[in-house]
């Protein structure tokens, strides 16, 4: 490629010199403009949680004692599945629940529940696996705002149509675009296990969002979007497997598998370099901990405090 191509915009942004830390200092760091952008992005990402955790309600399963054969109300619990598999014995199901879900609407019970209910979650994370990497590339090529608006629109349309699903296949298919564009209860468990589970969920959530911060600071500016997207892609592998592990095995097995893998990930993370207070690398091969870079950033910070520059957003 010739350098002249960069003048007309055809030259990739990767080859344009961008000193990210210096730019942040000149913009004023955590200024009013940055605070407004943070609030707007925060509000826009709230629906992502709805799409992710929707199956906890939309695919909620009734307990064994809460459904029975309408042909014989005495057939319920453990005896129900054997009768249900024999359609001549039990042809219709009755429910004693106060909620409605795809399980009760389409009678996804017994062995079918073990196969198809986790699929609603796995297919979503499969879409996230693809979208995390694909839209990282798209946002580099066509811009962040354009990509963000398109994915939000697709999610809105898919979720709206999904609410009118007439069968399980339609519901699962519509979970795919939701996952591509994004990225149970413990009522029967002892109180101690519930408390420990809540603590575990809290720490997992904290660690999960810390991954995005740390990963973004580890990759150089020129490949940061692709790097974060690839890390998110790898995370979806666990997200796809987790529903089947949780729903198809006992509580003890799931707890051991999740606990060991989480602990192992934490140990490996200790080998990563610390990025707090370090200048972000802009190019591949550039050291983010060089003393000259840190001295230059200190000089820029002091000059910015002495003569603050006013910048106006054109977004």
């Amino acid at each position: 490629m010739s350098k002249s191509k960069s003048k007309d915009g055809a030259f990739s942004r990767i080859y344009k010199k961008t000193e990210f830390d210096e730019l942040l200092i000149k913009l004023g760091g955590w200024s009013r403009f940055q605070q407004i952008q943070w609030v707007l992005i925060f509000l826009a990402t709230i629906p992502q949680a709805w799409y992710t955790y929707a199956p906890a309600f939309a695919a909620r399963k009734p307990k064994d004692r809460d459904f029975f054969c309408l042909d014989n109300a005495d057939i319920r619990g453990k005896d129900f599945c054997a009768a249900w598999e024999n359609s001549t014995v039990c042809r219709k199901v009755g429910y004693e629940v106060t909620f409605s879900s795809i399980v009760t609407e389409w009678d996804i019970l017994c062995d079918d529940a073990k196969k198809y209910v986790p699929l609603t979650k796995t297919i979503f994370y499969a879409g996230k696996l693809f979208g995390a990497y694909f839209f990282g590339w798209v946002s580099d090529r066509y811009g962040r705002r354009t990509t963000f608006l398109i994915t939000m629109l697709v999610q809105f349309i898919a979720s709206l149509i999904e609410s009118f699903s007439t069968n399980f296949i339609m519901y699962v298919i519509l979970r795919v675009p939701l996952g591509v564009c994004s990225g149970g209860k413990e009522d029967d468990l002892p109180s101690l296990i519930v408390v420990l589970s809540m603590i575990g969920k809290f720490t997992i959530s904290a660690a999960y969002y810390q991954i995005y911060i740390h990963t973004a600071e580890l990759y150089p500016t020129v490949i940061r979007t692709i790097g974060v997207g690839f890390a998110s892609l790898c995370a979806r592998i666990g997200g796809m497997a987790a529903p089947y592990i949780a729903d198809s095995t006992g509580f003890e097995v799931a707890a051991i598998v999740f606990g060991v893998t989480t602990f192992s990930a934490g140990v490996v993370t200790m080998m990563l370099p610390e990025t707090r207070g370090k200048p972000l690398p802009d190019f591949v091969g550039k050291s983010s901990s060089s003393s000259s870079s840190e001295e230059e950033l200190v000089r820029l910070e002091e000059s910015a405090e002495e003569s603050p520059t006013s910048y106006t957003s054109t977004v």
Side-chain angles (χ1 to χ4, degrees):
M1 295 183 183
S2 63
K3 292 184 178 180
S4 61
K5 288 185 178 180
S6 62
K7 296 180 180 179
D8 59 9
F11 202 71
S12 172
R13 67 176 290 276
I14 293 180
Y15 298 96
K16 296 178 182 178
K17 184 176 178 63
T18 55
E19 295 291 344
F20 188 69
D21 285 288
E22 296 179 13
L23 179 62
L24 284 180
I25 293 172
K26 291 180 179 179
L27 288 173
W30 185 237
S31 60
R32 182 185 177 189
F33 174 76
Q34 304 296 336
Q35 294 167 6
I36 293 174
Q37 301 308 306
W38 182 88
V39 171
L40 292 175
I41 293 176
F42 171 77
L43 294 175
T45 53
I46 289 177
Q48 305 306 315
W50 302 343
Y51 302 136
T52 302
Y53 297 108
F57 306 96
R60 183 179 176 182
K61 296 185 292 185
K63 296 180 174 64
D64 291 343
R65 62 177 179 270
D66 293 335
F67 52 88
F68 56 91
C69 286
L70 286 177
D71 305 284
N72 186 346
D74 294 330
I75 300 179
R76 62 173 66 210
K78 296 181 179 179
D79 298 329
F80 173 85
C81 289
W84 179 246
E85 292 176 359
N86 186 350
S87 58
T88 60
V89 177
C90 183
R91 291 170 293 182
K92 293 184 179 181
V93 188
Y95 298 93
E96 295 177 346
V97 294
T98 58
F99 62 87
S100 176
S101 67
I102 63 172
V103 174
T104 59
E105 288 287 330
W106 301 319
D107 297 334
I108 305 174
L109 302 167
C110 301
D111 289 341
D112 288 342
K114 295 180 180 179
K115 293 185 294 184
Y116 299 131
V117 171
L119 182 61
T120 63
K121 307 168 189 176
T122 298
I123 201 72
F124 176 80
Y125 284 104
K128 270 197 168 187
L129 185 149
F130 171 78
Y133 192 77
F134 175 73
F135 282 113
W137 173 82
V138 171
S139 62
D140 268 346
R141 186 173 182 85
Y142 299 104
R144 272 66 164 165
R145 185 172 64 174
T146 299
T147 304
F148 185 72
L149 292 175
I150 290 175
T151 53
M152 290 290 286
L153 178 62
V154 172
Q155 282 185 321
F156 170 74
I157 294 174
S159 62
L160 181 64
I161 299 175
E162 183 188 59
S163 63
F164 296 98
S165 297
T166 57
N167 54 61
F168 181 77
I169 295 176
M170 180 179 177
Y171 177 84
V172 168
I173 290 175
L174 289 170
R175 291 288 293 168
V176 176
L178 288 176
V180 170
C181 296
S182 298
K185 290 177 171 281
E186 290 100 3
D187 294 337
D188 294 333
L189 299 180
S191 299
L192 177 61
I193 296 179
V194 173
V195 172
L196 294 176
S197 297
M198 292 299 102
I199 295 174
K201 286 185 177 181
F202 173 80
T203 53
I204 289 171
S205 296
Y208 180 78
Y209 290 106
Q210 182 63 30
I211 289 173
Y212 282 94
I213 298 174
H214 201 180
T215 303
E217 294 179 348
L218 287 172
Y219 285 102
T221 302
V222 293
I223 60 170
R224 184 163 293 131
T225 303
I226 296 176
V228 173
F230 180 74
S232 182
L233 179 151
C234 294
R236 305 311 163 197
I237 298 175
M240 292 167 61
Y244 282 98
I245 296 174
D247 290 355
S248 301
T249 63
F251 175 79
E252 295 79 5
V253 174
I256 291 173
V257 172
F258 296 150
V260 170
T261 52
T262 303
F263 179 79
S264 301
V267 172
V268 174
T269 302
M270 295 176 65
M271 302 178 186
L272 296 174
E274 177 58 67
T275 58
R276 181 177 180 271
K278 303 290 180 65
L280 298 179
D282 292 298
F283 307 100
V284 178
K286 177 181 177 181
S287 174
S288 62
S289 60
S290 62
S291 58
S292 59
S293 297
E294 293 180 358
E295 291 174 359
E296 179 66 14
L297 286 177
V298 172
R299 185 188 64 77
L300 286 169
E301 288 176 349
E302 292 175 349
S303 62
E305 292 175 357
E306 294 174 359
S307 56
T309 306
S310 176
Y311 286 83
T312 303
S313 172
T314 59
V315 178

